Amino acid sequence: MADSLKKQAFVGVGWNAVGRFSTQGVSFILQIILARLLAPSDYGIIAMMAIFLQIAAVFVDSGFGKALVQKQNCEEKDYSTVFYYNLAVAVGLYVILFAIAPLIARFYEIEILTKVMRVASLVVIINALSIVQRTKLEKKIDFKSQSIVNFTSSVLSGLAGIAMAYYGFGVWALCGQSLLNSLLQMILFYFFVRWRPALVFSKESFHEMFSFGSKILVASIISVIYSNLYTIVIGKRFNSKDLGFYSRADHFAIFPSSNIGSIISGVAYPTLSKIQDNDDKLRFAYRKIIRYSSFIIFPLMVGLAAVADPFIRALLGEKWVETIPYLQILCFALMWDHLSSLNLNLLYVKGKSDLVLKLEIIKKTIAVIILFVSIPFGIIVMCCGRVLYGMIAFFINTSYTKKLIGLSFWQQVRDFLPYLGLSFGMGLLVYLLCFWLPVNAVWTLIVGILVGFVVYIGCSLLFMSEIRQEATSLIRKVKK
């Protein structure tokens, strides 16, 4: 059983990594091309309505996806109940979004936002049709199929978006790309998961999963509202162009942290849910996950901050230079996200969704205070406020890990501190190199990345015996 679970987890991480890197790698290139073809204000318009679409997505799921994964023995009635609930809520929310679109456009004083939002909101219904299929693959730790779905849909929708941008569709290129991506995902999920809903809706099943998912629903709504508060404030207090710069910086900063974190936590949650009653195994596994994820994410985030200037100039062009300081600061804000997510994952594994809600209320109260204190000082200071919040959130999220499995805050710090220190040393060297290097942005970026990689990996292998052992073990597993 244990060996089988380890093998499942290892294969799951492998396919999740392949899927994420291939999908996001291609998507990243396509987004760079799109950013060169479109104006910052086009991205600002899309960012303005993001909060409404994200809140709708949270309501549609209502935490039922995690409830299905956490539940040990799901029956047909469970899946069908979730499907019909998701679809009914999605249709209702689309009608609401369609009706309030003119009010949102009036709030931001951008007329085209009405039409864009009414079309873009269709993704709410499209995504609802495939939530169960996606969850069934996650529950089976089948990331191979998910990787194929995500890669195919990202490539085709990205190419369509570029074609639309090239022919002058402006903001509609981003809208069309999003819709096509969701539609292709839905079709492909139905192809890989041969499941269709039965004509049954179980009140008993609904209440059982809602008791778990309702706390996740409220916690997720709080989190989504907070994460989009910056978008609302910047879009209203400043303008769509400033919001475009900020949203691109946020997008690039989230890219490494979110993808690596999702690869690890995406496999960790369904895998560790299977050993949720063994605290010793959970503690050992979580400490290992913290070390693995920190070894990768810390240098990526610090390194991105170090090469932010040549990165933006080389890939997006001079019209996006105002993005640079935002990107540098946000990298330090988001570098803690994987640690916060892992600690919350533990609460999900233990079925403590009520504690997740409690922590979200505490964290977001502090976050909103930080935001509104920083607003009068401009976007730079607002970004610095996110750095402070990121560290506070990590500390708060560790409140219950010691009580649940005996894993304290300071134990976690000791686990990741060597990688954090080495990352900062590497980042400082790369930043100084990029600052003084007398070549164009493209060559500065290439040299900075190569030097950072060699320095970090070289020092890790030289001074950290655990890394050498893990690298050797990983190579053996890959060969098998």
Side-chain angles (χ1 to χ4, degrees):
M1 172 67 179
D3 290 338
S4 174
L5 193 59
K6 285 181 180 178
K7 183 179 178 181
Q8 248 187 322
F10 183 75
V11 172
V13 168
W15 272 110
N16 202 9
V18 169
R20 276 273 173 174
F21 286 132
S22 59
T23 301
Q24 296 298 329
V26 172
S27 178
F28 180 79
I29 295 170
L30 295 174
Q31 287 297 322
I32 293 296
I33 299 171
L34 268 174
R36 284 183 167 273
L37 293 171
L38 299 173
S41 58
D42 293 327
Y43 286 92
I45 292 172
I46 294 297
M48 286 173 180
M49 64 181 185
I51 182 173
F52 303 100
L53 298 184
Q54 289 177 25
I55 289 177
V58 170
F59 268 108
V60 171
D61 180 80
S62 295
F64 281 14
K66 287 190 179 297
L68 287 172
V69 174
Q70 199 269 344
K71 188 174 181 179
Q72 294 293 314
N73 299 303
C74 288
E75 300 177 19
E76 181 61 36
K77 65 177 183 178
D78 298 320
Y79 292 115
S80 296
T81 298
V82 170
F83 176 84
Y84 290 122
Y85 171 81
N86 291 156
L87 185 57
V89 173
V91 172
L93 287 171
Y94 176 75
V95 172
I96 294 172
L97 291 172
F98 188 94
I100 67 171
L103 300 177
I104 297 169
R106 199 173 303 137
F107 173 78
Y108 285 113
E109 299 177 357
I110 298 178
E111 186 178 349
I112 195 175
L113 194 56
T114 299
K115 294 179 180 179
V116 174
M117 186 164 182
R118 284 176 169 175
V119 175
S121 296
L122 287 169
V123 300
V124 176
I125 297 176
I126 297 171
N127 289 337
L129 292 169
S130 60
I131 288 177
V132 172
Q133 284 81 353
R134 188 190 302 267
T135 301
K136 287 177 77 71
L137 290 176
E138 182 182 350
K139 195 172 178 68
K140 292 193 300 181
I141 319 180
D142 181 3
F143 289 94
K144 178 180 179 180
S145 299
Q146 290 187 61
S147 299
I148 295 171
V149 170
N150 293 329
F151 180 80
T152 304
S153 57
S154 293
V155 171
L156 295 179
S157 63
L159 292 173
I162 289 173
M164 291 179 70
Y166 180 79
Y167 285 106
F169 282 87
V171 68
W172 290 106
L174 297 172
C175 183
Q177 179 193 16
S178 176
L179 278 173
L180 182 58
N181 184 59
S182 295
L183 183 61
L184 289 171
Q185 282 188 348
M186 185 265 289
I187 293 171
L188 290 170
F189 274 124
Y190 272 80
F191 174 78
F192 281 101
V193 181
R194 302 291 180 168
W195 176 86
R196 301 295 181 268
L199 294 175
V200 58
F201 185 91
S202 170
K203 291 183 179 179
E204 178 187 355
S205 178
F206 175 83
H207 288 303
E208 179 187 353
M209 287 186 288
F210 191 73
S211 64
F212 177 85
S214 59
K215 286 87 174 181
I216 298 176
L217 168 62
V218 178
S220 298
I221 290 172
I222 294 172
S223 180
V224 167
I225 290 174
Y226 165 73
S227 63
N228 285 276
L229 267 181
Y230 284 83
T231 297
I232 296 173
V233 170
I234 295 171
K236 183 63 178 175
R237 187 179 178 89
F238 301 93
N239 55 56
S240 61
K241 187 176 181 181
D242 289 323
L243 180 55
F245 291 132
Y246 173 83
S247 67
R248 283 299 84 195
D250 192 48
H251 172 80
F252 287 129
I254 286 174
F255 190 85
S257 176
S258 174
N259 282 292
I260 302 297
S262 295
I263 289 169
I264 296 170
S265 63
V267 177
Y269 178 55
T271 303
L272 297 181
S273 290
K274 299 178 187 297
I275 55 170
Q276 58 187 268
D277 298 322
N278 191 320
D279 290 348
D280 291 332
K281 286 185 178 180
L282 274 177
R283 183 172 57 254
F284 177 80
Y286 265 89
R287 292 189 68 180
K288 207 163 190 177
I289 292 169
I290 286 170
R291 292 195 294 271
Y292 282 161
S293 57
S294 297
F295 172 74
I296 299 170
I297 290 175
F298 281 146
L300 285 176
M301 299 304 290
V302 175
L304 180 56
V307 300
D309 190 296
F311 176 83
I312 294 297
R313 293 180 190 275
L315 298 183
L316 300 187
E318 295 296 324
K319 69 179 179 180
W320 289 92
V321 291
E322 291 183 51
T323 303
I324 295 170
Y326 305 155
L327 175 57
Q328 291 171 324
I329 299 170
L330 290 177
C331 282
F332 293 106
L334 296 169
M335 67 190 296
W336 310 100
D337 278 11
H338 70 288
L339 297 171
S340 293
S341 297
L342 287 172
N343 279 276
L344 288 182
N345 246 350
L346 174 63
L347 300 183
Y348 290 135
V349 167
K350 283 293 190 178
K352 303 292 185 180
S353 57
D354 56 328
L355 297 182
V356 175
L357 174 57
K358 180 180 178 180
L359 291 178
E360 281 302 310
I361 293 173
I362 295 171
K363 289 184 301 180
K364 294 313 183 281
T365 301
I366 296 171
V368 170
I369 293 172
I370 293 173
L371 169 60
F372 282 98
V373 168
S374 64
I375 288 173
F377 302 99
I379 300 176
I380 292 288
V381 177
M382 291 169 65
C383 292
C384 292
R386 287 189 62 180
V387 178
L388 177 61
Y389 169 70
M391 294 186 287
I392 292 174
F394 164 54
F395 176 76
I396 292 175
N397 281 349
T398 61
S399 302
Y400 292 102
T401 51
K402 184 173 177 59
K403 296 177 183 178
L404 291 174
I405 62 171
L407 181 59
S408 70
F409 168 78
W410 291 110
Q411 281 179 307
Q412 295 187 49
V413 171
R414 285 195 294 270
D415 283 334
F416 72 68
L417 196 57
Y419 313 121
L420 182 63
L422 183 56
S423 297
F424 274 118
M426 175 273 296
L428 179 60
L429 175 64
V430 171
Y431 178 78
L432 293 174
L433 179 67
C434 291
F435 185 79
W436 292 108
L437 206 61
V439 292
N440 63 40
V442 174
W443 282 109
T444 301
L445 178 62
I446 294 172
V447 172
I449 292 173
L450 290 176
V451 170
F453 178 82
V454 171
V455 169
Y456 184 78
I457 296 299
C459 290
S460 297
L461 293 175
L462 281 174
F463 302 114
M464 298 181 184
S465 59
E466 184 182 7
I467 296 299
R468 289 197 300 272
Q469 293 171 4
E470 293 291 351
T472 303
S473 174
L474 182 63
I475 292 170
R476 288 172 182 168
K477 287 180 180 178
V478 171
K479 286 182 177 179
K480 288 182 181 180

